Amino acid sequence: MTEPLVVVRSLVKSFGPVRAVDGLDLTVFPGEILGLLGPNGAGKTTTIRVLVTLVAPDAGQVTVAGHDVSRSPRDVRRAIGYVRQEISVDPYLSARENLWVYGRLFHIPGPTLKSRIEELLTLVELSDRANERVRQFSGGMKKRLDIACGLMHRPRLLILDEPTLGVDVQTRHRIWDYVRLLWEREGITVLLATNYLDEADRLSSRVVIVDRGKVVASGTPEALKAEVGGDVISVRLASESSGEGLLERLRAMPQVGHAFIAGGQIHIHASHSEKLIPEIMRAAADLRVAIEELAYRKPSLDEVFLQHTGRQLREG
């Protein structure tokens, strides 16, 4: 079996009275894109800051490429590329100059550095803007240059912390394409922290969902969504209606796999939703429960989060 590139066991990190990470376990295998998915405050960034040796763990064991993050931080840094949430390239340097600075920081010799810079500029499609100052770039171009800088020393692991935070939808999709492309061309492992469901679903070969400093679910996006079971039906009741009686009636229906109330709605996981919806309407009429809205859809990672935590990820 392939040895994992990252191993996190029982990680704990607190800031004063707040426990940001609470006994978290995480394993990243070579060649995968692992999506670390969770709402703001779930512990994603704190976990990453421990992995990149910027924060010391309070308890637990953390190794990257076989090196302990506390005992061998220099070896860990050589093995990783780190792209933060915030843009970190220098706006007063050109794209080529930014890459040169990063290359010298990693002691890459001149001839090798020159060819590597050209290779990365081509990869992120900035060759034609290579000599312009970065302050003239769009947000998406700056982020692409940020990713190129993280790849300069050919790291075994690229860590992306909220790589599309604050960019427009079109730029988000372009960045996704670049992440996929560099994963394919560079052959590296990617750890992607995000609170965007579609980002984790589209990019990740495996997803780890975290909430309140703990792992609540792990698996491929397809397997996690399959665990929900069938379609997802959401029933929003009129404010004066109580859903408890209707919930009990629904749970007795054979095609209903799981039903619960969360976020002011009844959530139903069921097979053959097109046949179940008329039965829901009849049951509500029998119980004189007023339905304000009813919808059904295929399961998403939000339903997985909801099933494990009792609330939707966007509410977190």
Side-chain angles (χ1 to χ4, degrees):
M1 184 176 179
T2 305
E3 289 292 322
L5 190 57
V6 175
V7 177
V8 179
R9 294 288 177 264
S10 304
L11 175 62
V12 175
K13 181 62 188 178
S14 298
F15 298 97
V18 178
R19 181 163 284 197
V21 182
D22 189 12
L24 185 139
D25 292 330
L26 181 68
T27 305
V28 183
F29 291 96
E32 70 175 345
I33 299 180
L34 181 78
L36 193 62
L37 175 65
N40 294 331
K44 304 186 304 295
T45 295
T46 299
T47 299
I48 282 177
R49 288 174 67 83
V50 171
L51 287 172
V52 301
T53 75
L54 291 177
V55 170
D58 295 336
Q61 179 187 11
V62 181
T63 61
V64 177
H67 306 293
D68 187 279
V69 296
S70 298
R71 293 196 295 267
S72 306
R74 286 189 178 182
D75 293 322
V76 170
R77 291 170 194 155
R78 290 189 187 102
I80 63 173
Y82 175 41
V83 180
R84 304 184 305 156
Q85 293 179 9
E86 304 83 9
I87 299 293
S88 59
V89 290
D90 190 323
Y92 295 99
L93 298 178
S94 69
R96 180 173 278 113
E97 289 168 340
N98 268 284
L99 289 167
W100 184 88
V101 168
Y102 271 77
R104 297 305 296 151
L105 288 171
F106 283 101
H107 307 289
I108 299 174
T112 304
L113 176 56
K114 184 178 179 181
S115 63
R116 182 61 174 160
I117 288 173
E118 298 309 315
E119 183 182 349
L120 288 169
L121 287 169
T122 300
L123 177 68
V124 297
E125 297 184 2
L126 289 175
S127 296
D128 60 336
R129 309 287 294 273
N131 297 316
E132 294 183 27
R133 290 191 178 186
V134 170
R135 66 180 179 179
Q136 299 173 320
F137 285 7
S138 67
M141 292 168 65
K142 291 175 184 176
K143 179 57 71 173
R144 282 150 50 194
L145 181 60
D146 241 356
I147 293 172
C149 289
L151 291 169
M152 171 56 70
H153 59 300
R154 298 187 186 276
R156 294 181 62 188
L157 173 69
L158 179 65
I159 298 177
L160 304 174
D161 189 7
E162 306 282 3
T164 61
L165 185 68
V167 301
D168 60 81
V169 174
Q170 183 179 3
T171 302
R172 284 181 66 208
H173 285 262
R174 291 286 300 279
I175 291 172
W176 292 351
D177 291 339
Y178 286 119
V179 172
R180 220 5 122 166
L181 183 66
L182 68 89
W183 173 69
E184 292 171 353
R185 289 188 180 177
E186 297 285 314
I188 64 172
T189 306
V190 179
L191 174 57
L192 166 74
T194 182
N195 59 9
Y196 293 129
L197 297 159
D198 52 351
E199 188 162 270
D201 201 351
R202 175 166 171 176
L203 287 177
S204 306
S205 48
R206 187 163 59 92
V207 174
V208 173
I209 300 177
V210 294
D211 184 45
R212 294 170 180 165
K214 298 176 181 288
V215 173
V216 297
S218 177
T220 66
E222 294 76 16
L224 288 172
K225 289 183 287 186
E227 289 177 6
V228 172
D231 295 335
V232 179
I233 303 173
S234 300
V235 181
R236 185 181 300 279
L237 305 179
S239 57
E240 69 275 7
S241 298
S242 170
E244 293 298 334
L246 179 58
L247 180 64
E248 291 305 312
R249 179 79 69 89
L250 294 173
R251 284 174 172 168
M253 295 179 180
Q255 60 268 59
V256 173
H258 189 44
F260 57 97
I261 295 177
Q265 298 183 72
I266 298 177
H267 299 268
I268 307 148
H269 302 160
S271 58
H272 306 296
S273 56
E274 68 283 357
K275 296 179 180 179
L276 181 61
I277 288 173
E279 295 187 35
I280 295 173
M281 301 297 290
R282 282 194 292 271
D286 291 344
L287 297 169
R288 297 187 178 181
V289 173
I291 292 178
E292 190 171 274
E293 180 183 326
L294 188 150
Y296 81 95
R297 59 193 176 277
K298 296 297 179 182
S300 71
L301 291 176
D302 200 20
E303 273 75 45
V304 177
F305 186 82
L306 177 63
Q307 182 168 282
H308 285 276
T309 66
R311 67 187 197 283
Q312 291 176 298
L313 188 140
R314 58 180 173 269
E315 294 171 3

Short mmCIF file of all heavy atoms in Angstrom, two decimals, residues 23-74:
data_model
loop_
_atom_site.label_atom_id
_atom_site.label_comp_id
_atom_site.label_asym_id
_atom_site.label_seq_id
_atom_site.Cartn_x
_atom_site.Cartn_y
_atom_site.Cartn_z
N GLY A 23 -8.96 17.16 18.12
CA GLY A 23 -8.75 15.73 17.90
C GLY A 23 -8.91 15.31 16.46
O GLY A 23 -9.41 14.22 16.17
N LEU A 24 -8.45 16.13 15.53
CA LEU A 24 -8.67 15.89 14.10
C LEU A 24 -7.68 14.85 13.56
O LEU A 24 -6.49 14.88 13.87
CB LEU A 24 -8.52 17.20 13.33
CG LEU A 24 -8.82 17.17 11.83
CD1 LEU A 24 -9.59 18.41 11.43
CD2 LEU A 24 -7.53 17.08 11.03
N ASP A 25 -8.20 13.93 12.74
CA ASP A 25 -7.39 12.93 12.03
C ASP A 25 -7.49 13.19 10.53
O ASP A 25 -8.58 13.46 10.01
CB ASP A 25 -7.88 11.51 12.31
CG ASP A 25 -7.64 11.08 13.76
OD1 ASP A 25 -6.67 11.57 14.36
OD2 ASP A 25 -8.43 10.27 14.27
N LEU A 26 -6.35 13.09 9.84
CA LEU A 26 -6.33 13.38 8.41
C LEU A 26 -5.18 12.62 7.76
O LEU A 26 -4.07 12.57 8.32
CB LEU A 26 -6.14 14.89 8.19
CG LEU A 26 -6.11 15.41 6.75
CD1 LEU A 26 -7.48 15.26 6.12
CD2 LEU A 26 -5.66 16.87 6.73
N THR A 27 -5.44 12.02 6.61
CA THR A 27 -4.41 11.34 5.84
C THR A 27 -4.52 11.77 4.39
O THR A 27 -5.61 11.80 3.83
CB THR A 27 -4.57 9.81 5.93
OG1 THR A 27 -4.57 9.41 7.31
CG2 THR A 27 -3.41 9.11 5.23
N VAL A 28 -3.37 12.13 3.79
CA VAL A 28 -3.33 12.52 2.39
C VAL A 28 -2.36 11.59 1.68
O VAL A 28 -1.20 11.46 2.09
CB VAL A 28 -2.86 13.98 2.21
CG1 VAL A 28 -2.91 14.37 0.73
CG2 VAL A 28 -3.72 14.93 3.04
N PHE A 29 -2.84 10.95 0.60
CA PHE A 29 -2.01 10.00 -0.13
C PHE A 29 -1.43 10.65 -1.39
O PHE A 29 -2.03 11.56 -1.96
CB PHE A 29 -2.83 8.77 -0.52
CG PHE A 29 -3.22 7.91 0.65
CD1 PHE A 29 -4.46 8.06 1.27
CD2 PHE A 29 -2.34 6.97 1.15
CE1 PHE A 29 -4.81 7.28 2.35
CE2 PHE A 29 -2.68 6.19 2.24
CZ PHE A 29 -3.91 6.34 2.85
N PRO A 30 -0.24 10.20 -1.81
CA PRO A 30 0.38 10.77 -3.01
C PRO A 30 -0.53 10.68 -4.23
O PRO A 30 -1.20 9.67 -4.45
CB PRO A 30 1.64 9.91 -3.20
CG PRO A 30 1.94 9.38 -1.84
CD PRO A 30 0.60 9.17 -1.19
N GLY A 31 -0.56 11.76 -5.02
CA GLY A 31 -1.28 11.75 -6.27
C GLY A 31 -2.75 12.10 -6.20
O GLY A 31 -3.43 12.11 -7.22
N GLU A 32 -3.27 12.42 -5.02
CA GLU A 32 -4.69 12.76 -4.93
C GLU A 32 -4.88 14.26 -4.72
O GLU A 32 -3.97 14.98 -4.30
CB GLU A 32 -5.38 11.98 -3.80
CG GLU A 32 -5.00 12.36 -2.39
CD GLU A 32 -5.82 11.61 -1.34
OE1 GLU A 32 -6.86 11.01 -1.70
OE2 GLU A 32 -5.43 11.61 -0.17
N ILE A 33 -6.07 14.73 -5.05
CA ILE A 33 -6.50 16.06 -4.66
C ILE A 33 -7.47 15.87 -3.50
O ILE A 33 -8.59 15.38 -3.71
CB ILE A 33 -7.18 16.82 -5.81
CG1 ILE A 33 -6.24 17.00 -7.00
CG2 ILE A 33 -7.66 18.19 -5.33
CD1 ILE A 33 -6.85 17.74 -8.17
N LEU A 34 -7.04 16.20 -2.32
CA LEU A 34 -7.89 16.04 -1.14
C LEU A 34 -8.57 17.36 -0.83
O LEU A 34 -7.90 18.37 -0.62
CB LEU A 34 -7.08 15.59 0.07
CG LEU A 34 -7.92 15.39 1.33
CD1 LEU A 34 -8.66 14.06 1.25
CD2 LEU A 34 -7.10 15.45 2.59
N GLY A 35 -9.89 17.37 -0.83
CA GLY A 35 -10.65 18.55 -0.48
C GLY A 35 -10.96 18.56 1.00
O GLY A 35 -11.59 17.63 1.52
N LEU A 36 -10.52 19.60 1.70
CA LEU A 36 -10.83 19.79 3.12
C LEU A 36 -11.98 20.79 3.16
O LEU A 36 -11.78 22.00 2.99
CB LEU A 36 -9.60 20.31 3.86
CG LEU A 36 -9.62 20.29 5.39
CD1 LEU A 36 -9.74 18.85 5.91
CD2 LEU A 36 -8.36 20.94 5.95
N LEU A 37 -13.19 20.28 3.35
CA LEU A 37 -14.41 21.08 3.19
C LEU A 37 -15.05 21.35 4.54
O LEU A 37 -15.20 20.44 5.37
CB LEU A 37 -15.39 20.32 2.29
CG LEU A 37 -16.77 20.93 2.09
CD1 LEU A 37 -16.68 22.25 1.34
CD2 LEU A 37 -17.68 19.96 1.34
N GLY A 38 -15.43 22.60 4.75
CA GLY A 38 -16.12 22.94 5.98
C GLY A 38 -16.44 24.42 6.02
O GLY A 38 -15.88 25.21 5.25
N PRO A 39 -17.35 24.84 6.90
CA PRO A 39 -17.72 26.26 6.98
C PRO A 39 -16.60 27.08 7.59
O PRO A 39 -15.61 26.53 8.12
CB PRO A 39 -18.95 26.24 7.89
CG PRO A 39 -18.75 25.04 8.76
CD PRO A 39 -18.08 24.01 7.89
N ASN A 40 -16.73 28.39 7.55
CA ASN A 40 -15.78 29.26 8.23
C ASN A 40 -15.77 28.92 9.71
O ASN A 40 -16.82 28.75 10.33
CB ASN A 40 -16.16 30.73 8.03
CG ASN A 40 -16.02 31.17 6.58
OD1 ASN A 40 -15.19 30.65 5.85
ND2 ASN A 40 -16.84 32.13 6.18
N GLY A 41 -14.58 28.83 10.29
CA GLY A 41 -14.47 28.49 11.70
C GLY A 41 -14.44 27.01 12.00
O GLY A 41 -14.43 26.61 13.17
N ALA A 42 -14.41 26.18 10.95
CA ALA A 42 -14.42 24.73 11.16
C ALA A 42 -13.07 24.18 11.59
O ALA A 42 -12.98 23.05 12.07
CB ALA A 42 -14.88 24.02 9.88
N GLY A 43 -11.99 24.96 11.38
CA GLY A 43 -10.66 24.49 11.73
C GLY A 43 -9.77 24.20 10.54
O GLY A 43 -8.65 23.72 10.71
N LYS A 44 -10.23 24.51 9.32
CA LYS A 44 -9.46 24.19 8.12
C LYS A 44 -8.13 24.96 8.08
O LYS A 44 -7.07 24.37 7.91
CB LYS A 44 -10.27 24.51 6.86
CG LYS A 44 -11.61 23.84 6.76
CD LYS A 44 -12.26 24.10 5.43
CE LYS A 44 -12.43 25.56 5.09
NZ LYS A 44 -13.36 26.27 6.00
N THR A 45 -8.22 26.28 8.22
CA THR A 45 -7.01 27.10 8.11
C THR A 45 -6.05 26.82 9.25
O THR A 45 -4.83 26.79 9.04
CB THR A 45 -7.39 28.59 8.06
OG1 THR A 45 -8.12 28.85 6.85
CG2 THR A 45 -6.15 29.47 8.08
N THR A 46 -6.56 26.59 10.45
CA THR A 46 -5.68 26.26 11.57
C THR A 46 -4.94 24.96 11.30
O THR A 46 -3.73 24.85 11.54
CB THR A 46 -6.48 26.14 12.88
OG1 THR A 46 -7.11 27.40 13.15
CG2 THR A 46 -5.57 25.78 14.04
N THR A 47 -5.64 23.97 10.78
CA THR A 47 -4.99 22.70 10.43
C THR A 47 -3.89 22.92 9.40
O THR A 47 -2.79 22.37 9.53
CB THR A 47 -6.04 21.71 9.88
OG1 THR A 47 -7.03 21.46 10.88
CG2 THR A 47 -5.39 20.40 9.48
N ILE A 48 -4.17 23.73 8.39
CA ILE A 48 -3.17 24.01 7.36
C ILE A 48 -1.98 24.76 7.94
O ILE A 48 -0.83 24.47 7.61
CB ILE A 48 -3.82 24.77 6.20
CG1 ILE A 48 -4.62 23.79 5.34
CG2 ILE A 48 -2.78 25.50 5.36
CD1 ILE A 48 -5.36 24.41 4.20
N ARG A 49 -2.23 25.70 8.82
CA ARG A 49 -1.12 26.46 9.41
C ARG A 49 -0.22 25.57 10.26
O ARG A 49 0.97 25.82 10.37
CB ARG A 49 -1.67 27.63 10.22
CG ARG A 49 -2.23 28.74 9.32
CD ARG A 49 -2.91 29.84 10.12
NE ARG A 49 -1.98 30.59 10.94
CZ ARG A 49 -1.24 31.61 10.49
NH1 ARG A 49 -1.31 31.97 9.22
NH2 ARG A 49 -0.43 32.26 11.30
N VAL A 50 -0.80 24.53 10.84
CA VAL A 50 0.03 23.54 11.53
C VAL A 50 0.85 22.75 10.51
O VAL A 50 2.05 22.53 10.70
CB VAL A 50 -0.85 22.59 12.38
CG1 VAL A 50 -0.01 21.42 12.91
CG2 VAL A 50 -1.48 23.34 13.55
N LEU A 51 0.22 22.33 9.42
CA LEU A 51 0.91 21.54 8.40
C LEU A 51 2.08 22.30 7.77
O LEU A 51 3.11 21.70 7.43
CB LEU A 51 -0.06 21.13 7.30
CG LEU A 51 -1.07 20.03 7.64
CD1 LEU A 51 -2.09 19.87 6.52
CD2 LEU A 51 -0.37 18.71 7.90
N VAL A 52 1.95 23.62 7.61
CA VAL A 52 3.01 24.40 6.96
C VAL A 52 3.97 25.00 7.99
O VAL A 52 4.80 25.84 7.64
CB VAL A 52 2.42 25.50 6.05
CG1 VAL A 52 1.52 24.90 4.98
CG2 VAL A 52 1.66 26.55 6.85
N THR A 53 3.87 24.57 9.22
CA THR A 53 4.79 24.92 10.33
C THR A 53 4.68 26.37 10.78
O THR A 53 5.61 26.90 11.39
CB THR A 53 6.26 24.59 9.99
OG1 THR A 53 6.78 25.56 9.07
CG2 THR A 53 6.41 23.19 9.42
N LEU A 54 3.56 27.02 10.52
CA LEU A 54 3.37 28.39 10.99
C LEU A 54 2.78 28.43 12.40
O LEU A 54 2.88 29.45 13.09
CB LEU A 54 2.45 29.15 10.03
CG LEU A 54 3.04 29.47 8.66
CD1 LEU A 54 2.00 30.15 7.77
CD2 LEU A 54 4.29 30.34 8.79
N VAL A 55 2.14 27.34 12.81
CA VAL A 55 1.54 27.24 14.15
C VAL A 55 1.93 25.90 14.74
O VAL A 55 1.87 24.87 14.05
CB VAL A 55 -0.01 27.36 14.06
CG1 VAL A 55 -0.65 27.02 15.39
CG2 VAL A 55 -0.41 28.76 13.62
N ALA A 56 2.32 25.91 16.00
CA ALA A 56 2.70 24.66 16.67
C ALA A 56 1.46 23.97 17.23
O ALA A 56 0.59 24.62 17.82
CB ALA A 56 3.67 24.95 17.81
N PRO A 57 1.34 22.66 17.06
CA PRO A 57 0.19 21.95 17.63
C PRO A 57 0.28 21.88 19.15
O PRO A 57 1.38 21.85 19.71
CB PRO A 57 0.32 20.55 17.00
CG PRO A 57 1.77 20.40 16.69
CD PRO A 57 2.27 21.76 16.34
N ASP A 58 -0.87 21.87 19.79
CA ASP A 58 -0.91 21.68 21.25
C ASP A 58 -0.78 20.21 21.61
O ASP A 58 -0.20 19.87 22.65
CB ASP A 58 -2.22 22.23 21.84
CG ASP A 58 -2.33 23.73 21.68
OD1 ASP A 58 -1.28 24.41 21.57
OD2 ASP A 58 -3.47 24.24 21.66
N ALA A 59 -1.33 19.36 20.78
CA ALA A 59 -1.27 17.91 21.01
C ALA A 59 -1.48 17.20 19.69
O ALA A 59 -2.00 17.77 18.73
CB ALA A 59 -2.33 17.49 22.02
N GLY A 60 -1.08 15.94 19.65
CA GLY A 60 -1.26 15.13 18.46
C GLY A 60 0.04 14.96 17.68
O GLY A 60 1.08 15.55 18.01
N GLN A 61 -0.03 14.15 16.64
CA GLN A 61 1.13 13.86 15.79
C GLN A 61 0.83 14.33 14.38
O GLN A 61 -0.21 14.00 13.81
CB GLN A 61 1.43 12.36 15.80
CG GLN A 61 2.61 11.98 14.91
CD GLN A 61 2.79 10.48 14.80
OE1 GLN A 61 1.91 9.71 15.21
NE2 GLN A 61 3.90 10.04 14.23
N VAL A 62 1.76 15.09 13.78
CA VAL A 62 1.59 15.61 12.43
C VAL A 62 2.89 15.42 11.67
O VAL A 62 3.94 15.94 12.06
CB VAL A 62 1.21 17.11 12.42
CG1 VAL A 62 1.00 17.60 10.99
CG2 VAL A 62 -0.04 17.35 13.26
N THR A 63 2.84 14.67 10.57
CA THR A 63 4.02 14.49 9.72
C THR A 63 3.66 14.81 8.28
O THR A 63 2.55 14.54 7.82
CB THR A 63 4.57 13.05 9.80
OG1 THR A 63 3.57 12.13 9.35
CG2 THR A 63 4.98 12.69 11.22
N VAL A 64 4.63 15.40 7.57
CA VAL A 64 4.50 15.71 6.14
C VAL A 64 5.72 15.15 5.43
O VAL A 64 6.85 15.48 5.81
CB VAL A 64 4.39 17.23 5.91
CG1 VAL A 64 4.32 17.53 4.41
CG2 VAL A 64 3.19 17.81 6.63
N ALA A 65 5.50 14.29 4.46
CA ALA A 65 6.59 13.63 3.72
C ALA A 65 7.55 12.93 4.67
O ALA A 65 8.77 12.93 4.46
CB ALA A 65 7.33 14.65 2.85
N GLY A 66 7.01 12.38 5.74
CA GLY A 66 7.81 11.64 6.71
C GLY A 66 8.50 12.49 7.75
O GLY A 66 9.19 11.96 8.63
N HIS A 67 8.31 13.81 7.72
CA HIS A 67 8.98 14.72 8.65
C HIS A 67 7.98 15.26 9.67
O HIS A 67 6.88 15.71 9.30
CB HIS A 67 9.62 15.88 7.91
CG HIS A 67 10.56 15.45 6.82
ND1 HIS A 67 11.75 14.80 7.07
CD2 HIS A 67 10.47 15.57 5.46
CE1 HIS A 67 12.36 14.54 5.92
NE2 HIS A 67 11.60 15.00 4.93
N ASP A 68 8.34 15.25 10.91
CA ASP A 68 7.50 15.80 11.97
C ASP A 68 7.51 17.33 11.88
O ASP A 68 8.57 17.95 11.79
CB ASP A 68 8.03 15.36 13.34
CG ASP A 68 7.10 15.76 14.46
OD1 ASP A 68 7.16 16.95 14.89
OD2 ASP A 68 6.31 14.92 14.92
N VAL A 69 6.33 17.95 11.91
CA VAL A 69 6.24 19.40 11.71
C VAL A 69 6.90 20.18 12.84
O VAL A 69 7.34 21.32 12.64
CB VAL A 69 4.77 19.85 11.56
CG1 VAL A 69 4.14 19.28 10.31
CG2 VAL A 69 3.94 19.53 12.79
N SER A 70 6.98 19.60 14.03
CA SER A 70 7.59 20.29 15.16
C SER A 70 9.10 20.08 15.22
O SER A 70 9.85 21.01 15.53
CB SER A 70 6.95 19.81 16.48
OG SER A 70 5.57 20.11 16.51
N ARG A 71 9.55 18.88 14.89
CA ARG A 71 10.98 18.57 15.02
C ARG A 71 11.78 18.87 13.76
O ARG A 71 12.98 19.14 13.84
CB ARG A 71 11.16 17.10 15.40
CG ARG A 71 10.66 16.76 16.80
CD ARG A 71 11.21 15.42 17.27
NE ARG A 71 10.70 14.32 16.46
CZ ARG A 71 9.62 13.61 16.76
NH1 ARG A 71 8.93 13.90 17.86
NH2 ARG A 71 9.21 12.62 15.99
N SER A 72 11.14 18.82 12.59
CA SER A 72 11.87 19.02 11.33
C SER A 72 11.14 20.00 10.42
O SER A 72 10.77 19.67 9.28
CB SER A 72 12.05 17.67 10.62
OG SER A 72 12.65 16.72 11.46
N PRO A 73 10.92 21.23 10.89
CA PRO A 73 10.14 22.18 10.08
C PRO A 73 10.78 22.52 8.73
O PRO A 73 10.08 22.73 7.75
CB PRO A 73 10.03 23.41 10.98
CG PRO A 73 11.15 23.29 11.96
CD PRO A 73 11.35 21.83 12.17
N ARG A 74 12.13 22.59 8.67
CA ARG A 74 12.78 22.94 7.40
C ARG A 74 12.54 21.86 6.34
O ARG A 74 12.29 22.16 5.17
CB ARG A 74 14.29 23.11 7.62
CG ARG A 74 14.65 24.41 8.34
CD ARG A 74 16.14 24.62 8.33
NE ARG A 74 16.50 25.88 8.98
CZ ARG A 74 17.75 26.33 9.07
NH1 ARG A 74 18.75 25.62 8.55
NH2 ARG A 74 18.00 27.47 9.67
#
